[in-house]
Amino acid sequence: MGIAPLMAVMIGMGLWAVIMFRDLGGNIDVILRENYRSVLAAQRMKEALERMDSAILFAIGGQEERSRDQFTRSRPVFEQNLSIERGNITLPGERDLADELARLYALYGEQSERFYGLPAGDAKERTMLYFSDLLPTFHRIKDRADDVLNLNQRNMEEMDGRARAAATNSVRWMVLLLCASAATAGLIALVLSRSLLGPIRSMTHAARAMARGDMEQVVPVLSRDELGELANAFNGMARRIREFQQAGTARLLRVQKTAQATIDSFPDPVVVVDPMGSIERTNPAARRILGGSTGGNGAMPWPPSPALRTPLADVLGGCGDYLPAGVENAICLRDDGQERFYLPRILAIQGDDGPLGAAVVLHDVTKFRLVDQLKSDMVATVSHELKTPLTSIQMAIHLLLEEAVGPLEPKQVELLLAARQDSDRLMTMVGDLLDLTRIEQGKVQLDLHPVAPAELVEGVVSRFEARAVDAGIALSGQAAPGLPPVLVDRGRIEHVFDNLVDNALAYTGRGGRVELSARLDGDAVRFAVADSGIGIAPEHLPKLFDRFYRPPGSKSGGAGLGLSIAREIVEGHRGKIEASSQPGRGTTFIVGLPLAPAGAVAIPSHPGGVKA
């Protein structure tokens, strides 16, 4: 009811606009349909008449054929437009003009026939006939066509004036109606706002109070209209929210107690952190080993150990769970004054809207760590004890092969050569075990110096060049120009590259290729050893750097320790080593080594290079 007057004004304005546009359209239609057709017909008659007059002049000038052709083509045009004009008589006096045009055109036709009836060579007679009869008739026809043209143009101007006057009057009325509708709309808005804003303000105030936590809100119901129904619905909603709040609070407390009891029942230390890395929950085992950093539950900062800081940030950043399996990833913490080793497992806690935090579970692997340490010590002891008798055996075999104690038969030489080969392989295996044990125990100190990457590449290529030529394999090395030096223990890094190139040559057939390259990759230099050999199946790549692991079909006679030692050496340099391969298409090993500090100068190698 409040907007009914405004709707009436809108309907009235719409009807007035329809009438106005209809009148304007009618005037325009009259102009286009009546006057414009006559104007166009008169104009075209004049153009056709002038072409016929030009044709007669062509005949006088001696161009008979061109004259007849143009005259014949122009006559139908004039006659067609004369017919249009005679069928579009809309103004007083226009019919007399049209009849006069028809009569004069008929006379002009008779005169032109008489003209063309004269001999073509009688130019004098034709000229006299043209100036005495045809030209005066031509001017009279043209004058009557101009009269028709002017008559219709004057009428078009009058119709245009009436249309403009109607449009002006319509604009005035539209402006008046718009002003009236604006005043009506303002009055309606004032009345409606007073009746609507009061209840709305009450509900807004109540809603804001509920948002602040005050659920005891009741909106007064002042009417039975839509606003009254809205107030009733709001009060019902507030009542239901109060009921849900009471029930939800009790349920939330019960869930929190259950969750805490579940975490407390774990024998392993458990720490639950929020997306910012602050502690939310811990169990007694975690509070016992972490001490003052976990004074209780509730969000509080937690500075994790350096070994946990990076994986925890990765998990909170959405990189997936951190689930290490090896004992070497264990961290050392104190429990009741004793050092114990824990294997951390960081699990992401996901919600519908994203990560809610992470759970850090610390598994006690102290016993496994001790067993692993005992195993390493035993391996080191056994390897060391085996090294002395193996050296003696090698020396004895060497003396026998040199026949220092007497001549040998061919069969004896063959057996001794096999024994020397086996003893050499066994000595290499014992050396690898000792190296791996020393590296794992941290007894190997790296002698770090800046070294030019190009020198490392050239040194490896020079050491294996003769072997590659004998095997029929193309060995090449290339370092990008201007590479900064890397900070490495040259001897041990050369041992890594020697191992990788040795494997590449062993698994690449004759006619293949092995390429060693180096290029800058951020704050490190990326070395690549790529071959075109037999490749490695995808299922074997994850275990490639494990100790004592040899892929099926391995041609190497080693114990599967070379790549493990290479990984330990590279990681000792704070670098990274990885492998990619496709069966039948070759293998590529990538070694990333950190750059030397700014301003460091690479130390040139002494002749012959440095060996591990």
Side-chain angles (χ1 to χ4, degrees), residues 421-497:
Q421 183 178 0
D422 290 340
S423 64
D424 290 343
R425 184 164 61 88
L426 188 57
M427 181 61 76
T428 301
M429 188 183 305
V430 170
D432 288 344
L433 285 172
L434 288 173
D435 286 343
L436 184 61
T437 303
R438 285 195 295 267
I439 292 173
E440 288 179 344
Q441 294 178 348
K443 295 181 180 179
V444 175
Q445 298 296 326
L446 298 177
D447 185 17
L448 301 177
H449 295 285
V451 179
E455 287 191 11
L456 293 175
V457 173
E458 293 171 1
V460 175
V461 172
S462 64
R463 288 192 294 275
F464 286 89
E465 187 173 8
R467 177 180 166 185
V469 172
D470 293 340
I473 299 173
L475 175 62
S476 61
Q478 183 178 8
L483 285 179
V486 291
L487 189 64
V488 296
D489 183 327
R490 181 164 189 154
R492 298 201 174 273
I493 285 300
E494 286 184 345
H495 177 77
V496 172
F497 290 139

Side-chain angles (χ1 to χ4, degrees), residues 101-406:
L101 273 173
R103 185 185 65 77
L104 291 173
Y105 177 71
L107 176 61
Y108 189 79
E110 293 174 359
Q111 293 172 350
S112 61
E113 289 178 1
R114 193 163 64 252
F115 176 85
Y116 282 108
L118 295 174
D122 195 354
K124 184 177 180 180
E125 290 293 331
R126 284 188 168 187
T127 301
M128 293 179 59
L129 179 60
Y130 172 75
F131 284 103
S132 61
D133 295 337
L134 285 170
L135 185 59
T137 306
F138 165 78
H139 286 298
R140 292 172 63 189
I141 295 174
K142 192 173 181 180
D143 291 340
R144 297 291 82 74
D146 285 335
D147 293 340
V148 172
L149 181 64
N150 293 330
L151 180 64
N152 281 277
Q153 283 181 341
R154 286 195 300 271
N155 188 66
M156 289 174 66
E157 292 173 357
E158 292 175 0
M159 295 295 291
D160 178 66
R162 288 198 295 270
R164 289 179 181 274
T168 302
N169 292 331
S170 299
V171 169
R172 292 195 186 98
W173 280 105
M174 288 290 289
V175 171
L176 291 176
L177 287 174
L178 283 174
C179 294
S181 63
T184 305
L187 181 62
I188 294 173
L190 180 62
V191 174
L192 290 179
S193 63
R194 289 181 177 179
S195 62
L196 293 176
L197 291 180
I200 290 176
R201 287 195 184 100
S202 299
M203 282 186 285
T204 302
H205 177 75
R208 289 176 176 171
M210 292 180 66
R212 293 192 298 268
D214 183 7
M215 299 298 171
E216 303 297 329
Q217 295 294 320
V218 178
V219 177
V221 180
L222 303 177
S223 63
R224 297 183 178 180
D225 56 6
E226 293 85 352
L227 290 174
E229 294 179 0
L230 180 59
N232 282 324
F234 183 89
N235 292 331
M237 178 192 68
R239 184 172 58 255
R240 294 295 300 276
I241 289 176
R242 288 193 293 270
E243 295 173 356
F244 281 125
Q245 185 185 37
Q246 295 171 358
T249 302
R251 187 181 302 109
L252 180 60
L253 291 175
R254 185 170 61 255
V255 169
Q256 288 178 344
K257 291 180 179 179
T258 303
Q260 186 62 46
T262 302
I263 294 176
D264 291 345
S265 65
F266 288 172
D268 294 321
V270 178
V271 179
V272 179
V273 299
D274 61 13
M276 303 303 296
S278 300
I279 293 177
E280 286 190 340
R281 293 183 181 278
T282 57
N283 64 350
R287 290 192 290 273
R288 187 177 65 250
I289 66 170
L290 299 180
S293 63
T294 59
N297 295 328
M300 58 177 297
W302 175 43
S305 63
L308 286 179
R309 189 173 295 116
T310 299
L312 179 60
D314 292 340
V315 172
L316 292 176
C319 296
D321 298 339
Y322 175 67
L323 303 172
V327 181
E328 63 274 7
N329 296 308
I331 60 176
C332 181
L333 299 173
R334 300 189 68 83
D335 185 6
D336 291 337
Q338 297 180 353
E339 287 189 351
R340 303 191 67 84
F341 292 91
Y342 294 91
L343 184 63
R345 299 171 68 86
I346 305 177
L347 308 173
I349 302 175
Q350 297 290 341
D352 295 336
D353 299 330
L356 302 178
V360 182
V361 183
L362 303 175
H363 294 288
D364 191 348
V365 292
T366 305
K367 293 181 180 180
F368 299 103
R369 177 79 177 190
L370 294 175
V371 170
D372 186 71
Q373 181 68 32
L374 180 62
K375 179 199 66 176
S376 299
D377 293 343
M378 184 185 67
V379 170
T381 302
V382 172
S383 300
H384 186 270
E385 293 299 326
L386 287 175
K387 192 170 185 180
T388 300
L390 279 174
T391 303
S392 300
I393 293 173
Q394 283 183 316
M395 185 173 295
I397 294 174
H398 180 71
L399 292 174
L400 289 174
L401 287 173
E402 287 185 349
E403 299 183 352
V405 294

